[in-house]
Amino acid sequence: MGVSHISNRTEERAPGWSRRGVLTALGVSSAAALTGCAGAAGAAEGTTGATGSASATASASARATARREPTVTVTPADGTRKASFTSPVSVTVADGTLTSVTVTGNDGSTLAGSLDGTGTTWTSARHPYSGTRYTVTARVDGAATRTSAFTTAAPGATFAGYFTPEADSTSGVGMPVSLNFTHAVTDRAAVQKAITVTAEPAVEVVGHWFDDTRLDFRPETYWAAGTTITLTLRLKDVEGADGVYGVQSKTVTFHIGREQISTVDLSRKEMTVRRDGVRTASYPVTGGDADHTTWGGIMVISERFEQTRMQSSTVGLGDEYDIADVPHAQRLTTSGTFIHGNYWAADSVFGGRNSSHGCVGLHDAKGGADSSVPGYRFYESSMLGDVVIVKNSGDRTVDPANGLNGWNLSWKRWKAGSAL
């Protein structure tokens, strides 16, 4: 009984620890251990599963990447109807490599360009032309060819350059290449850069701006006889003034014939003609009188008329004369100076005294049909671009811009008029 008593006291000291409680505690402990073992195993299994899942994801990603189609982007975008013509065309690819790009206009022109070092971006070397539909064909390595199209906008305002001499014509050695623009040019450098004049045999040719609508080209001295001149105009879409664009893209050639230089000495009232350095003729002439002196200096024949009407009112001289049938007239200045035939003055005037209103006159016949007179003979020997030098006229040197007479500027002054 004593033992039983001791046992009861023990149970009394630990009232919460009944046998069931101990077993329950042991059960919990065992369960926790299992759970712990299971948790460890589960963690291990979970880790293995995560790795497998990551590998599967990476593999799936790789497969997705392998399956991803290249994306080609063209600027201007496909279908654009009023695309800018002041920026280059670009083609880019994502998830691929460009092998080639062609851009073709409906006018037959093509835009050259180049790929960057990665083969993912192509850029045109110049801007597209205005008012043109372009087709872009992009080839991607290992993928189907992509095609798109766009149309550029038309410029709001335009300008053109009218040139002298005419294409394929033959002129004398003094003929400059002269351009007159239909709109005032404010960006002279951009316009001049788009124009080139070359010669064969080669010689340095420089442009000179007389004002904002006229640009002439010439070498330092007269062209050599037999020269071929090439004028290249690349003015299309060149912005000559704010919002005003050029329209021309063309190449033309001119030719220089024999050299003929005629010298009029108005103190002697005589003109001497030299062809390729050899004197071929000498004619008595009359020049401007004391009240209407003739311009001095180097002048170039810019127009020729077998017969024309001359009126004093057109040159600011009122109603002093109106001659309907002046024969063999060749223009030397824009302001109205000609070298022409004269049938109304007495024969003694030619070589005798200066009596004109500023022109240089040679004896001629009414109707211009007499081939024996100086007016006829000189006209027949001449061509556009021939040089006529007037000296001892009593007047100052002609303004270089008055006609095609830029030869009166020194080479230094001529080059100073270039915008480049």
Side-chain angles (χ1 to χ4, degrees), residues 54-200:
S55 299
T57 301
S59 177
S61 177
R63 288 194 300 272
T65 300
R67 289 195 304 270
R68 190 175 297 156
E69 286 293 321
T71 302
V72 175
T73 302
V74 177
T75 305
D78 185 32
T80 303
R81 294 187 177 183
K82 292 183 179 181
S84 170
F85 56 86
T86 60
S87 300
V89 176
S90 68
V91 180
T92 60
V93 63
D95 303 313
T97 303
L98 292 167
T99 57
S100 69
V101 175
T102 57
V103 182
T104 306
N106 62 353
D107 59 354
S109 64
T110 58
L111 285 179
S114 59
L115 284 167
D116 66 358
T118 66
T120 60
T121 300
W122 180 95
T123 307
S124 65
R126 64 171 177 81
H127 299 168
Y129 288 138
S130 63
T132 305
R133 177 179 170 81
Y134 286 94
T135 300
V136 181
T137 304
R139 293 175 176 83
V140 181
D141 188 22
T145 298
R146 270 65 167 181
T147 301
S148 69
F150 64 89
T151 302
T152 51
T158 61
F159 73 95
Y162 291 97
F163 54 83
T164 297
E166 292 184 3
D168 298 321
S169 63
T170 299
S171 304
V173 298
M175 177 64 76
V177 176
S178 182
L179 291 109
N180 285 276
F181 300 106
T182 57
H183 191 284
V185 173
T186 56
D187 193 343
R188 295 185 181 185
V191 170
Q192 188 175 337
K193 187 177 180 180
I195 302 170
T196 58
V197 178
T198 58
E200 181 59 42

Side-chain angles (χ1 to χ4, degrees), residues 117-385:
T118 66
T120 60
T121 300
W122 180 95
T123 307
S124 65
R126 64 171 177 81
H127 299 168
Y129 288 138
S130 63
T132 305
R133 177 179 170 81
Y134 286 94
T135 300
V136 181
T137 304
R139 293 175 176 83
V140 181
D141 188 22
T145 298
R146 270 65 167 181
T147 301
S148 69
F150 64 89
T151 302
T152 51
T158 61
F159 73 95
Y162 291 97
F163 54 83
T164 297
E166 292 184 3
D168 298 321
S169 63
T170 299
S171 304
V173 298
M175 177 64 76
V177 176
S178 182
L179 291 109
N180 285 276
F181 300 106
T182 57
H183 191 284
V185 173
T186 56
D187 193 343
R188 295 185 181 185
V191 170
Q192 188 175 337
K193 187 177 180 180
I195 302 170
T196 58
V197 178
T198 58
E200 181 59 42
V203 64
E204 182 183 14
V205 182
V206 176
H208 179 97
W209 290 88
F210 285 108
D211 54 36
D212 57 9
T213 61
R214 179 178 170 188
L215 172 63
D216 283 16
F217 290 84
R218 52 157 269 212
E220 182 174 4
T221 58
Y222 304 136
W223 306 101
T227 294
T228 296
I229 303 167
T230 300
L231 167 66
T232 303
L233 297 173
R234 293 295 178 263
L235 290 170
K236 185 170 176 60
D237 299 332
V238 172
E239 192 171 18
D242 188 21
V244 184
Y245 296 89
V247 296
Q248 294 160 296
S249 183
K250 64 191 305 181
T251 299
V252 294
T253 57
F254 320 112
H255 306 281
I256 300 299
R258 80 292 177 277
E259 178 191 80
Q260 179 163 298
I261 299 175
S262 303
T263 302
V264 177
D265 185 343
L266 288 182
S267 65
R268 299 174 56 189
K269 293 84 173 174
E270 180 183 58
M271 177 172 69
T272 301
V273 181
R274 292 186 175 274
R275 174 79 63 84
D276 296 322
V278 177
R279 178 171 172 166
T280 57
S282 180
Y283 301 116
V285 298
T286 184
D289 62 26
D291 294 325
H292 311 92
T293 51
T294 304
W295 293 114
I298 303 168
M299 287 171 264
V300 172
I301 295 175
S302 58
E303 283 187 292
R304 304 179 72 235
F305 305 95
E306 289 189 1
Q307 185 170 286
T308 190
R309 182 177 185 177
M310 291 188 176
Q311 297 173 283
S312 55
S313 59
T314 64
V315 292
L317 295 177
D319 58 358
E320 290 194 31
Y321 61 85
D322 184 354
I323 305 170
D325 57 351
V326 177
H328 303 126
Q330 303 186 86
R331 182 184 292 275
L332 300 179
T333 70
T334 305
S335 62
T337 305
F338 282 78
I339 183 167
H340 62 78
N342 180 326
Y343 65 80
W344 52 90
D347 289 354
S348 60
V349 168
F350 305 100
R353 62 189 177 90
N354 292 320
S355 61
S356 79
H357 289 84
C359 291
V360 176
L362 299 92
H363 176 56
D364 211 324
K366 185 176 177 63
D370 187 348
S371 62
S372 68
V373 294
Y376 182 101
R377 287 157 53 197
F378 179 67
Y379 184 87
E380 288 299 306
S381 73
S382 300
M383 67 170 54
L384 292 173

